[in-house]
Amino acid sequence: MTTATHGALPTPSTAGADRLGALVALSLPALFILLWSTGYLAGKLALPHAGPFTLLALRFGLAAVVLLGVSAATGAPWPKTPRAWIHLGVVGLLMQVLHFSGVYCAIAWGLPTGVAALLIGLMPLATALGAHLWLAERLSARQWLGMLGGLAGVALVIADRPLGGGAWQAYGAGLLGLMGLVAGTLYQKRFCAGMDLRTGSGIQMTVSAIAVTALALWREPGVADWSAELIGATLWLGLVNSIGAFSLMFVMIRRGQAAAVARLFYLIPGVSALMGVALLDEHLGALSLAGFVVAAAAVGLASMKRGG
């Protein structure tokens, strides 16, 4: 007499592994949101002590040294063709240099951290539009509606803030940062999908560090104020944000959670805004709060799976 095994109950070890896997799947998104959101606060704390490009040079340089050291110590595979190296360099210039230069310049020119995060939080909408234009991917009616809602949310935030002086310049820098993140994401999806996380990120950070160092030498000849805030923020940005948050993002994408990663971005602006109010004494008016809600709902709607 044989015993059927098709409907066998899971063993304790299997059940424990399943519970651990479920816990990891739940904790990674929450950790990603917290780590990514803190980057805006750390940048705001550091910028009074160093120019945007100087701060980025410190951030990318530290991340590059750590990642290249990890790559060498673990024997990570390096790109095999010059073209692969070039593609990684282009991703670094877009996703790191252009993206963060826009964000840090916007914050340095007076944009609250939550508003800067709101502009970058439109990434899922802008990426869908970019994929439609560049990769010929079709957009659903829900995505088009989400884009209109996202623009309405941003319009409410802008309406709640004065646009005189350098405000337009700050918003423009933030939008430029959004363009860099979107272009880098699409470029990486098309040309660097199979990169090793260690060497690929190390190459991107090295290219980025060289680029922003050149910009800092050109535009920011002053010496950084080596305060405790600058040192602490640099360590946090270089190790926790540039390595930790981006690694989490790539890990989730490789686990088949690309759509979930896109949906997470609509939560980051609200978390960043709350952190800014609580820790940096930033103020958000009623229209701004309404704009955050509208934009979050729009991005969430556009990122929902069909039929789900």
Side-chain angles (χ1 to χ4, degrees):
M1 181 176 178
T2 59
T3 303
T5 59
H6 178 72
L9 295 174
T11 64
S13 60
T14 303
D18 290 343
R19 285 195 296 269
L20 180 60
L23 180 62
V24 170
L26 290 174
S27 62
L28 286 181
L31 184 60
F32 172 77
I33 292 170
L34 290 175
L35 293 185
W36 193 283
S37 299
T38 58
Y40 295 98
L41 275 74
K44 182 70 173 284
L45 290 172
L47 284 170
H49 308 285
F53 300 127
T54 301
L55 177 59
L56 286 174
L58 295 172
R59 170 179 180 164
F60 296 153
L62 174 61
V65 169
V66 173
L67 287 167
L68 293 179
V70 169
S71 299
T74 59
W78 294 88
K80 294 180 172 58
T81 65
R83 178 172 295 181
W85 284 78
I86 293 173
H87 285 323
L88 287 170
V90 172
V91 172
L93 293 175
L94 293 172
M95 189 178 289
Q96 303 295 338
V97 176
L98 185 57
H99 167 210
F100 284 109
S101 293
V103 170
Y104 284 7
C105 285
I107 294 175
W109 293 336
L111 209 62
T113 55
V115 179
L118 175 63
L119 295 178
I120 302 303
L122 296 177
M123 189 271 280
L125 302 181
T127 301
L129 180 60
H132 172 69
L133 297 175
W134 187 26
L135 304 180
E137 294 184 5
R138 297 186 62 182
L139 288 176
S140 66
R142 179 182 292 171
Q143 287 175 311
W144 284 113
L145 183 61
M147 288 182 192
L148 292 176
L151 291 176
V154 172
L156 286 173
V157 174
I158 293 176
D160 197 37
R161 301 189 57 80
L163 292 177
W168 279 115
Q169 186 180 19
Y171 279 111
L175 290 174
L176 189 64
L178 172 61
M179 291 173 57
L181 180 59
V182 170
T185 299
L186 293 172
Y187 194 96
Q188 178 160 296
K189 178 181 179 181
R190 183 164 186 176
F191 297 110
C192 307
M195 77 170 193
D196 182 86
L197 183 61
R198 297 157 294 179
T199 55
S201 299
I203 293 169
Q204 290 181 25
M205 290 298 171
T206 301
V207 171
S208 300
I210 294 172
V212 292
T213 297
L215 289 172
L217 293 174
W218 175 44
R219 300 291 298 176
E220 300 166 357
V223 179
D225 170 21
W226 288 104
S227 62
E229 281 188 341
L230 177 60
I231 295 173
T234 298
L235 291 173
W236 185 268
L237 291 168
L239 300 177
V240 177
N241 285 105
S242 286
I243 296 177
F246 271 89
S247 296
L248 278 178
M249 181 173 70
F250 293 142
V251 166
M252 287 188 291
I253 290 174
R254 289 192 174 183
R255 287 168 61 96
Q257 297 175 285
V261 171
R263 288 194 294 271
L264 292 177
F265 272 86
Y266 82 89
L267 298 174
I268 291 172
V271 174
S272 300
L274 291 176
M275 287 181 175
V277 170
L279 302 176
L280 301 178
D281 199 29
E282 294 182 339
H283 173 72
L284 292 174
L287 278 179
S288 291
L289 292 175
F292 275 92
V293 173
V294 170
V299 178
L301 173 67
S303 301
M304 288 174 60
K305 293 181 179 179
R306 293 180 179 177

